[in-house]
Amino acid sequence: MAVAHSRQNGALENPVDLPAPSLGAGATTAEGSTAKDAHPSGREKHGRFTQLLRGVTFAVYFTSCCVAIHATQILGSPLYWINRDVYYAYMALTKQSFGLLVTTMTHWWSPTTIRISGDASVAGQIRKTPDGRVEFSFPERLILIANHQIYTDWLYLWWVGYANSPRMHGYLYIILKESLKYIPVIGQGMMFYGFIFMSRKMAVDQPRMAYRLRKLKTQQTAPGGTSKFYTPMWLLLFPEGTNASQNGRNKSAKWAEKIGVKDPEHVLLPRSTGMYFCLSELKGTVEYVYDCTVAYEGIPRGKFGEQYFTLASTYFQGRPPKSVNFYWRRFRVADIPLDDAASFDVWLRDRWYEKDALMEQYLSTGRFPPSPPQPTTDDGSAAKGGSRGGDEQDGFIETEVRTRYWWEFIQIFVVLGAFGLVGNMLLKAWSNLVHAVF
């Protein structure tokens, strides 16, 4: 279904006729509080002891994996001075490990339904596998943009890279706040990943971004020197600059008033400078911008996800989002006005007004628009990319965040284990040599 935007009121034209779920706005719960103040995922599922146990096991798993990944990065860092191509391939392997970490920790401690739909621009690129997973067929190089609801948005989008074919969880690049690089272990690990850290001062940030983006658009030579190619890259941007909150809402309103535009109701007004710079630098090496609109089930109108889905609620109390909802669109870079910053600013703002309309539909109906039916051949059979079937009949794919095989998390420790094994063998060989000589 195509999404049309009304400039007068930001409403969604021709909204899908879906039954509106009872969100219980204003209803009184057994505890005497109003439903809009209750947690969207209900009461705590676990008692204090179980929460403590879940917290300890989560901390042990997350910390041990982060330490193992960072140690693997340090051990491979000399490759930077030996062979840059091998070094970046090695770091992509460690980035895959972090993708496995966030996927497994979500599956084990914070299981949730992922509900996916999209417009005609992504038709045939999202399908459900026979074992209940979802598989994306997005290209190896793209810019990914999304509205920023809560701090874990990036986690679910990293999982999308894992679920893609080919898998892209080793080639995700994120633009982050500069303060994050000072987090012990994690911050240094993200620096190895080639993430871009922003101080929010363009005079400082532009040279950093230019340096990193030049690396991302440098062509590599294929084995044998017969051809050249660009390294796979998913560049994740949150044009809003911060997650939705009352403070962000107030800043968005002030900014909208300052520049004389309408402030969206459900998303924050995007800032276009960083994205414009990225697109301008990468133009000619990236064909598409993929846009994801994200919504979390049960957040009352006028409230914010950060008020409900905290670390404790999501991972320890057993109250993760009941569903995380994605609506996908795709835009060709060649069709985006990049001749001047002002035109691009208008283009991006219009896309965010469309997002606001999508969010209004979600809040009103509990669903984003469904995906359009896939094309069929003359005999009625599915064309390439497949038609809806099974759980896709209503235009939505429902799945969960999980790895294909339960044991994949072991890969996080494989490289470090191999270093340990080789080191142990070398020590034994050295010891035997010393004893033989002396």
Side-chain angles (χ1 to χ4, degrees):
M1 166 178 258
V3 177
H5 172 253
S6 170
R7 290 178 181 270
Q8 284 74 22
N9 55 25
L12 189 68
E13 297 178 4
N14 304 317
V16 179
D17 187 15
L18 293 174
S22 175
L23 300 179
T28 302
T29 65
E31 290 77 7
S33 62
T34 60
K36 68 179 181 179
D37 295 325
H39 196 285
S41 299
R43 298 181 179 180
E44 296 180 7
K45 306 286 191 305
H46 307 294
R48 297 303 180 191
F49 176 77
T50 303
Q51 288 184 37
L52 177 62
L53 183 62
R54 287 169 63 86
V56 170
T57 54
F58 177 89
V60 169
Y61 179 69
F62 184 78
T63 302
S64 61
C65 287
C66 286
V67 170
I69 293 169
H70 189 44
T72 303
Q73 292 174 321
I74 293 172
L75 289 169
S77 59
L79 290 171
Y80 184 84
W81 292 277
I82 299 172
N83 187 304
R84 295 291 172 87
D85 292 343
V86 174
Y87 168 80
Y88 290 124
Y90 180 91
M91 290 303 160
L93 183 66
T94 69
K95 196 182 294 187
Q96 287 179 3
S97 294
F98 197 82
L100 288 172
L101 167 58
V102 297
T103 298
T104 51
M105 76 182 196
T106 301
H107 179 53
W108 295 339
W109 280 277
S110 177
T112 184
T113 296
I114 306 292
R115 186 177 296 113
I116 307 167
S117 61
D119 69 4
S121 67
V122 294
Q125 298 181 57
I126 309 171
R127 69 180 187 88
K128 196 165 187 178
T129 63
D131 63 354
R133 295 176 299 106
V134 67
E135 185 175 84
F136 299 84
S137 298
F138 295 169
E140 291 187 353
R141 287 182 64 85
L142 58 83
I143 291 178
L144 173 57
I145 60 175
N147 57 314
H148 206 357
Q149 292 289 287
I150 57 178
Y151 290 114
T152 52
D153 291 335
W154 61 270
L155 182 153
Y156 296 108
L157 294 171
W158 204 323
W159 162 77
V160 171
Y162 168 86
N164 197 68
S165 179
R167 291 187 178 181
M168 293 298 299
H169 58 305
Y171 297 97
L172 187 75
Y173 296 88
I174 308 176
I175 295 181
L176 303 165
K177 297 177 183 177
E178 187 174 35
S179 58
L180 296 177
K181 72 180 181 181
Y182 300 109
I183 300 174
V185 180
I186 296 176
Q188 291 73 50
M190 291 189 293
M191 293 175 69
F192 274 116
Y193 288 156
F195 289 175
I196 303 172
F197 295 93
M198 302 281 283
S199 67
R200 296 188 176 180
K201 297 177 181 178
M202 207 56 190
V204 176
D205 294 334
Q206 188 164 322
R208 294 179 183 175
M209 292 175 65
Y211 173 78
R212 180 54 55 189
L213 294 173
R214 278 196 297 269
K215 287 183 174 294
L216 294 178
K217 67 178 182 180
T218 300
Q219 287 187 309
Q220 308 294 322
T221 303
T226 56
S227 62
K228 291 189 175 183
F229 64 94
Y230 293 108
T231 303
M233 175 208 73
W234 280 18
L235 180 60
L236 173 59
L237 306 174
F238 292 106
E240 292 167 334
T242 186
N243 63 295
S245 64
Q246 189 58 58
N247 184 49
R249 174 82 276 143
N250 294 339
K251 289 182 178 179
S252 178
K254 288 181 181 179
W255 178 249
E257 183 180 6
K258 180 178 180 180
I259 63 176
V261 300
K262 176 182 176 292
D263 185 39
E265 183 179 355
H266 309 298
V267 294
L268 306 182
L269 202 64
R271 305 299 179 97
S272 63
T273 305
M275 184 177 172
Y276 177 73
F277 185 80
C278 291
L279 277 170
S280 299
E281 286 290 313
L282 294 172
K283 187 177 180 180
T285 71
V286 176
E287 189 174 359
Y288 294 106
V289 171
Y290 277 73
D291 170 63
C292 185
T293 303
V294 184
Y296 294 83
E297 181 176 339
I299 299 175
R301 185 182 294 270
K303 299 289 185 178
F304 305 98
E306 68 170 14
Q307 297 171 281
Y308 302 98
F309 300 118
T310 62
L311 177 66
S313 167
T314 302
Y315 291 98
F316 309 149
Q317 297 173 1
R319 297 196 292 181
K322 288 184 178 179
S323 70
V324 181
N325 297 263
F326 290 159
Y327 187 80
W328 289 93
R329 300 183 294 172
R330 182 180 74 169
F331 303 98
R332 192 180 297 274
V333 173
D335 297 332
I336 298 174
L338 295 176
D339 293 334
D340 68 276
S343 298
F344 177 77
D345 186 60
V346 173
W347 179 89
L348 182 63
R349 191 161 57 246
D350 284 345
R351 302 293 77 76
W352 244 249
Y353 288 146
E354 292 168 358
K355 275 183 179 291
D356 199 46
L358 287 166
M359 292 295 290
E360 173 60 35
Q361 176 163 337
Y362 181 82
L363 285 168
S364 300
T365 68
R367 294 287 190 276
F368 282 131
S371 299
Q374 299 293 319
T376 57
T377 59
D378 292 338
D379 61 2
S381 60
K384 184 178 180 181
S387 61
R388 293 180 187 166
D391 293 333
E392 300 174 58
Q393 289 290 346
D394 61 355
F396 299 93
I397 293 177
E398 291 192 1
T399 187
E400 60 180 338
V401 175
R402 65 180 176 92
T403 55
R404 184 173 184 179
Y405 304 107
W406 69 266
W407 45 261
E408 284 189 63
F409 76 97
I410 298 174
Q411 296 177 27
I412 297 171
F413 305 94
V414 165
V415 175
L416 189 61
F419 269 105
L421 180 62
V422 171
N424 185 53
M425 292 173 61
L426 290 174
L427 286 174
K428 286 183 177 180
W430 175 256
S431 179
N432 292 335
L433 179 61
V434 170
H435 281 96
V437 173
F438 299 102

